[in-house]
Amino acid sequence: MLSHNYQYAAVLTDSLKVSWKVEDLIGGDKKLDFSKPFLPDSLAGVNGIKCLDAAGKLKLNQIRGNSYLHLFGFVEEFILPFVLEHTQKAVHGDQIAVRALVTFAEEEAKHMHLFQRFAEEFEKGFPVKCGVVGPAKDVAKVVLGHSSLGVALVTLMLEWMTQRHYLDSVKTDQALDTHFSELLRHHWMEESQHAKLDTLLVDELATKGGPDAIAKGFEDVLAIGGAFDGLLAAQQKLDLEALSKVTNRQFTDAEKAEITAAQVKAYRWTFLGSGLSHPNFLKTAGELSPAAAKKIGEVVPVFS
């Protein structure tokens, strides 16, 4: 149903060319540099906050870097069992497809380990403990309660989102901490193959399920997106608490409002708008359901 030239064999070949270990990127003498930002401002959205000085903006950027990877850990928590389920279903079929999906799952597990190691290094070096939403397993359970096609579409959206973050901003930002930037680069290297694999899964599920499954899948995309938006709002509040502690400031109501407005907007773009509006995701949506693509286009401004 979808127009693409992705094949399991080619994706597997490309995936096997990418080889890196978690310890190559973080730990030991590879320590985070807390004198530098972790995220480009296009994702962190801190530079325009007038009530913060340069030091405060840097701390908030680093807090956002920590939560960025924590929230990606949430994503991996539901992607891994989803991929494993479809690997099991494919085990008696095309063995190349099975190998490609097993590689997909192994890489997602590696990403979860990578994010955990980063969190440990961040906690060692940052002056205060930063709160994070959770537990991830509960969020994963809610997401996986939706239709398989809905989960596959959300996964595809997130994987294209990862590509956009790295290629549009991280790759060219020389001001970022080297180790954090390298972490995002290596994550992008593997996610570029995952986006192709997930396109294949979406195509297979949509072909098998037909119009009813497609309609339900896109309903689930919007439902999961709305739930995730609430999660982002909760994380933003925890970020503000951490910022207050690390800067030793009691923000006024007006200052809280300014910071919250900027951060809600940045969070929504980073985790929802940048994925939902990605040209490749919109192309897939348009080919499966022009009506669903139109609806997604209508909600994108809310998350931009």
Side-chain angles (χ1 to χ4, degrees):
M1 297 182 71
L2 297 179
S3 60
H4 61 78
N5 59 357
Y6 304 144
Q7 297 179 340
Y8 283 111
V11 175
L12 176 61
T13 297
D14 289 341
S15 293
L16 294 176
K17 293 177 183 177
V18 179
S19 178
W20 55 268
K21 300 177 181 178
V22 171
E23 52 269 28
D24 294 338
L25 304 179
I26 197 71
D29 62 346
K30 302 175 185 66
K31 299 184 183 299
L32 297 168
D33 185 349
F34 286 92
S35 70
K36 295 182 178 181
F38 292 166
L39 287 178
D41 196 61
S42 58
L43 303 179
V46 304
N47 286 351
I49 301 175
K50 296 179 180 179
C51 68
L52 295 178
D53 59 15
K57 291 174 182 178
L58 178 61
K59 292 302 182 189
L60 181 54
N61 180 290
Q62 292 167 353
I63 291 168
R64 282 292 310 280
N66 181 56
S67 62
Y68 180 86
L69 292 190
H70 175 75
L71 290 164
F72 262 112
F74 270 53
V75 171
E76 313 292 352
E77 286 273 356
F78 74 77
I79 293 178
L80 179 56
F82 173 73
V83 174
L84 288 173
E85 177 187 352
H86 286 275
T87 303
Q88 187 176 30
K89 291 178 180 178
V91 74
H92 298 299
D94 183 349
Q95 291 305 301
I96 294 297
V98 172
R99 287 188 62 197
L101 291 171
V102 167
T103 302
F104 186 170
E106 190 278 332
E107 289 170 350
E108 294 292 7
K110 181 170 64 173
H111 298 169
M112 291 167 66
H113 182 202
L114 177 66
F115 299 156
Q116 180 184 28
R117 284 292 295 113
F118 168 83
E120 293 168 358
E121 290 297 318
F122 181 86
E123 192 168 344
K124 288 178 186 177
F126 201 70
V128 303
K129 186 173 179 62
C130 298
V132 289
V133 292
K137 64 179 182 179
D138 291 345
V139 176
K141 184 177 179 180
V142 170
V143 173
L144 293 170
H146 291 82
S147 68
S148 290
L149 182 54
V151 176
L153 285 165
V154 169
T155 303
L156 180 62
M157 182 271 287
L158 292 167
E159 283 156 355
W160 285 128
M161 180 187 83
T162 304
Q163 305 303 297
R164 191 174 210 172
H165 291 180
Y166 182 74
L167 293 173
D168 287 5
S169 55
V170 176
K171 184 178 180 179
T172 56
D173 195 330
Q174 301 300 312
L176 304 181
D177 167 57
T178 300
H179 295 304
F180 197 89
S181 182
E182 278 297 288
L183 179 153
L184 295 178
R185 183 172 75 87
H186 283 75
H187 184 231
W188 159 76
M189 288 165 60
E190 292 183 340
E191 292 293 345
S192 63
Q193 303 309 316
H194 297 179
K196 298 173 185 177
L197 286 172
D198 202 61
T199 299
L200 289 166
L201 286 176
V202 166
D203 201 357
E204 292 167 8
L205 290 167
T207 300
K208 182 179 179 180
D212 289 345
I214 292 170
K216 180 64 167 65
F218 281 106
E219 286 178 13
D220 288 345
V221 168
L222 296 177
I224 293 170
F228 202 63
D229 189 38
L231 199 69
L232 297 176
Q235 182 60 56
Q236 185 277 322
K237 291 179 181 179
L238 294 173
D239 291 352
L240 185 56
E241 292 175 7
L243 180 64
S244 179
K245 291 177 184 177
V246 77
T247 57
N248 196 27
R249 283 182 62 179
Q250 294 297 318
F251 295 109
T252 66
D253 289 344
E255 290 170 338
K256 288 179 182 178
E258 182 193 7
I259 296 169
T260 296
Q263 288 298 282
V264 166
K265 181 178 181 179
Y267 262 120
R268 282 177 160 179
W269 167 252
T270 299
F271 286 100
L272 293 168
S274 64
L276 290 171
S277 66
H278 193 287
N280 289 348
F281 182 74
L282 290 175
K283 175 177 176 291
T284 294
E287 290 180 349
L288 291 178
S289 170
K294 182 175 183 293
K295 185 174 291 186
I296 288 172
E298 290 170 353
V299 304
V300 162
V302 177
F303 302 126
S304 300

